[in-house]
Amino acid sequence: MFDLIGELTFPDTTAFTDEQLDSVTRSAEAGDVGAMTTVALVMCSRDDFSGGAVWFTRAAEAGSSIPMFWMGLISMRADDFVAARTWFEAANNAGDTRAHDMILRLPMMMVSDDPDATRTAAQAGDPDARYKHGRDLSVDGNRDESFA
């Protein structure tokens, strides 16, 4: 799902010709949830994330956990961690066990490299942000302030 540098990667869909995509799109438009997911994956692999999100959402609304999971990943890619959590919770509730792991990873991903954002999150009580904020203050020589 994510490579070593945190980029969202999609299954290789380069084998899909435009004609094949048109055929699968017709099936998706007819209500085939698997086809909706396939169209979404192909669109995202072609860097059309907004088009892919439309098809993932339609498939998710039909109750499929796989597109719910992918919408969580797309939301993370857009740094929308609130939406990501919502999608991962929906996928988890629909039976996708990968989503639970992503829910557990979200807090650390939400901690920003921006010290002001981290301080704000720490003041709001986010435990991961509090840890990072305290560590940052300690490293910067403000150890006493880190315990305030």
Side-chain angles (χ1 to χ4, degrees), residues 33 37 40 52-53 55-76 83-96 98-99 102:
V33 175
T37 302
W55 284 107
F56 277 137
T57 301
R58 286 181 65 182
E61 288 170 350
S64 179
S65 66
I66 294 168
M68 293 174 192
F69 181 81
W70 279 102
M71 282 301 297
L73 294 177
I74 289 172
S75 298
M76 283 176 50
R85 183 174 184 88
T86 300
W87 283 113
F88 287 138
E89 286 176 348
N92 184 59
N93 292 338
D96 190 327
R98 300 171 303 165
M102 295 306 292

Side-chain angles (χ1 to χ4, degrees), residues 9-45:
T9 56
F10 290 88
D12 182 17
T13 56
T14 55
F16 268 85
T17 65
D18 288 338
E19 294 79 24
Q20 290 170 321
L21 180 58
D22 289 342
S23 175
V24 175
T25 301
R26 283 191 296 279
S27 295
E29 289 169 345
D32 183 327
V33 175
M36 291 176 196
T37 302
T38 300
V39 170
L41 287 169
V42 172
M43 294 178 94
C44 289
S45 72

Side-chain angles (χ1 to χ4, degrees), residues 51-129:
V54 168
W55 284 107
F56 277 137
T57 301
R58 286 181 65 182
E61 288 170 350
S64 179
S65 66
I66 294 168
M68 293 174 192
F69 181 81
W70 279 102
M71 282 301 297
L73 294 177
I74 289 172
S75 298
M76 283 176 50
R77 182 180 189 276
D79 291 332
D80 186 347
F81 296 106
V82 173
R85 183 174 184 88
T86 300
W87 283 113
F88 287 138
E89 286 176 348
N92 184 59
N93 292 338
D96 190 327
T97 57
R98 300 171 303 165
H100 183 261
D101 295 335
M102 295 306 292
I103 292 168
L104 295 176
R105 291 175 58 190
L106 275 175
M108 284 307 292
M109 293 176 189
M110 292 169 56
V111 175
S112 173
D113 288 333
D114 175 7
D116 291 331
T118 302
R119 184 182 63 248
T120 300
Q123 290 170 340
D126 181 281
D128 295 311

